[in-house]
Amino acid sequence: MVTSPSLHPGIRAIVYMSTPTCYHCGDACDANIIKHDEKEFCCNGCKTVYEIFSENDLTCYYDMQAAPGATPLDIEGKYDFLAQDAIIDKLLEFKDDTLEIVTLYIPHIHCSSCIWVLENLKKLQKGISDSQVNFGKKNVRISYSPKETNLKEIVILLSNIGYEPYISLDDFGKGASAINRSLIYKLGVAGFAFGNVMFLSFPEYFEVDEYWLDQYKNLFRWLMFAFSVPVLFYAAQDYFISAYKGLRAKILNIDVPIALGAAVLFLRSTVEIAFDLGSGFFDSFTGLIFFLLLGKFFQQKTYSFLSFERNYKSYFPIAVTKINKDQSEVPIQVYDIKEGDRLLIRNHELIPVDAILIKGKAKIDYSFVTGESKVISKTSGDKLFAGGKQTQGVIEIEALKAVEQSYLTQLWGNDVFSKNKESAFETLTNSISKQFTIYVLSIAVIATTYWLFTDASKAMNVFTAVLIIACPCAIALAAPFTLGNILRIFGRDKFYLKNASVIERLAKINSIIFDKTGTITSGQSAEATYEGMPLSTEESILLKSSLRQSNHPLSRSLYDLLASQQILTLDDYQEHLGKGIAAKHNSNEIKIGSAQFVGAADTQVLNTAVHISTNNRYKGKFTFYNKYRQGLTKLFNQLKNYYELTILSGDNDGEFENLKKILPSKTKLLFNQKPEDKLEYIAHHQTEGQRILMIGDGLNDAGALAQSEVGIAISENVNVFSPACDAILDATKFNKLSTYLDLSKQAIKIIKWAFVLSFMYNIVGLYFAVTGQLSPVIAAILMPLSSISIVIFTTVCTNILGKKLKK
């Protein structure tokens, strides 16, 4: 327990905000009221929250009790290894002089009281600045000041309040998955029980009339009861817990009818064998739970297969530049990074892996990690953490480990960068499920009431059959299996989405905005000619060295086109987004960018141009002859009938006439657009009802990508990753954009058809159940079959859609 007296007044201020009902949460206490210290609590969780603040009790009783004789001193000794720097470095996600961040897996997270406690750790421990709970993954991400506390003290605090973290020094992810295997165990228990109950039920099925079977009939029935007990109290417990928590929160969730139906089936069967009224329906009960868990296992395995967090190849198709021993530079995918590789990180590139700074001036922005936009200077030999972004020039780093062991994927989904797109879009499943549960319970009550007055012998049958046959599992499975399979199909075709909800938003798009340079044009095959005064050898070297620092598509193209030169270490480098580059070496200065930026007098050009000035003297320009992506005209012609199309470019209008010829006549062409102009344009049109898809790069277009309903970053051997984007599209698949959008719409139609099929099944099933023509046995068999049929339907349909991508 926390014993520092100085912490208690502030903590008690929170506790005493409760109402005269539950002392902690204020909810009305039910029949299971818990009294402690002359105070009333609605559950053990709330009592634990109170006990955290007790100065006299060192034991927490939520989910687990302290071992006899356990003291804080025992726990402190247990975690002595957390005082070793080598181990701490392995566990920490981020570390500097003022901030450290760690994510701890806590298997005992269960409900809102747990979340409340863990997200208020800063009130229990001085030095903790923030703690965020991920309820689904059962982990908490804690940010703290190393000057005021340390990892060992935090872990001891968590252990003392009943939330001991699981710490694996080998592989955090493996430890978490090892603990989280309860579904497999429950499935095994349910399957074992189901098989044995079915075996014991055979004589009843076939009405075998044998002396020895009659003699042991009651024994067989009680054996079936014995096999069913662990299924009820262990295998099916998640459904009952979920239903209970939903009811406590005054929410009729999707597990309420399942739990109610299973409970009624078990109780009814128990009554039948107890009073020798029949054999009961233990076979149906165990089969019901077994098939429910089997469906959940199938779903979990699908998620595991699709999970981006376990597949960096699908999650980050971005490239990073590797420096070979002969000093040659080659682009490699981030998942090919190995320990000891020397990497080149350009301006505004993301550091993809924990590394040591070897060369260059590092100005690292860790806002991707911490959520705070603060630039930190690092010198040669310092450790750099994955997720940081270099903000000034080029640096060389040496990878400390492979990218699979890092946490870039976790950062992309960090709540810090949430754009509230998920909460703003209520999924089809949730909206239908809310009404479905209410209707099912209403039908069950009404039908049972009717039969109580008409034929009481059928009432219980009808009630049980209605709850089971109308089990909404098929509805719950339709969306995740459809969207999950589409997610996998897109990933295989090099279109990588942040999560499944992006597909739903893609299906609602009615306007598409494209950036020009690096989006509809290709940097791979660019051609350029130079017009102006010849560049001296020193100026050519300075130009090449400056371009090497930048990640802008034009900078990369020009860098690749210029002849090999000696690379200088620049004294100063600055990149002005949407304008150009300014660099300095010794007494020489160079500016590269727009005509206005470098001070050129003549700004009339017919093509995209990069202007050069050295020591405030205009030298000339490189004129690019844009190579538009293959299939661009065909793509726009496919899109024009369904979407409003716009080109928003930061370049001059030199390509206006050319684009008018190759693009549909109604396409809007807007040039000289600064990054802030693009963002404002999108925001304005959203107020007019447009749902916008923005396609650009992660450097100049980060704001626009964030503002749009869906933001797609084009990847072409460029490591400009923005947490703002919702998807990454491999440049070679750009011409398939129309197909991706069409498949997203078709996926929503598949979900709707799955809902229709599910409702048809429920309507027909309910008719027979309500009229008393359907026994709970048949209902229990049909219910899992409906779920399996929906899964097969959605999987087959989405696979058929996926074949379109192969054409």
Side-chain angles (χ1 to χ4, degrees), residues 110-130:
H110 286 294
C111 68
S112 57
S113 286
C114 302
I115 297 173
W116 188 90
V117 174
L118 294 171
E119 292 195 341
N120 280 278
L121 291 177
K122 60 185 177 183
K123 295 179 173 62
L124 304 178
Q125 181 80 33
K126 185 179 180 181
I128 296 178
S129 57
D130 182 60

Side-chain angles (χ1 to χ4, degrees), residues 732-746:
T732 60
K733 302 295 181 179
F734 177 76
N735 59 352
K736 289 189 175 182
L737 179 64
S738 177
T739 306
Y740 296 136
L741 293 171
D742 182 58
L743 260 60
S744 298
K745 292 179 180 179
Q746 295 298 324

Side-chain angles (χ1 to χ4, degrees), residues 156-226:
I156 291 173
L157 168 67
L158 290 168
S159 300
N160 282 334
I161 63 176
Y163 297 97
E164 183 174 10
Y166 178 90
I167 299 176
S168 169
L169 298 181
D170 297 324
D171 188 327
F172 173 79
K174 290 181 181 177
S177 62
I179 289 181
N180 211 11
R181 297 173 62 88
S182 62
L183 177 60
I184 298 175
Y185 302 145
K186 290 172 183 174
L187 183 61
V189 169
F192 176 78
F194 177 49
N196 282 278
V197 169
M198 287 288 290
F199 179 75
L200 293 169
S201 300
F202 279 154
E204 303 274 359
Y205 288 158
F206 299 106
E207 298 181 352
V208 178
D209 189 14
E210 294 286 345
Y211 171 78
W212 68 275
L213 289 176
D214 290 336
Q215 287 289 104
Y216 294 101
K217 180 173 63 178
N218 289 331
L219 174 63
F220 285 176
R221 290 177 177 178
W222 283 108
L223 282 173
M224 287 190 284
F225 170 81

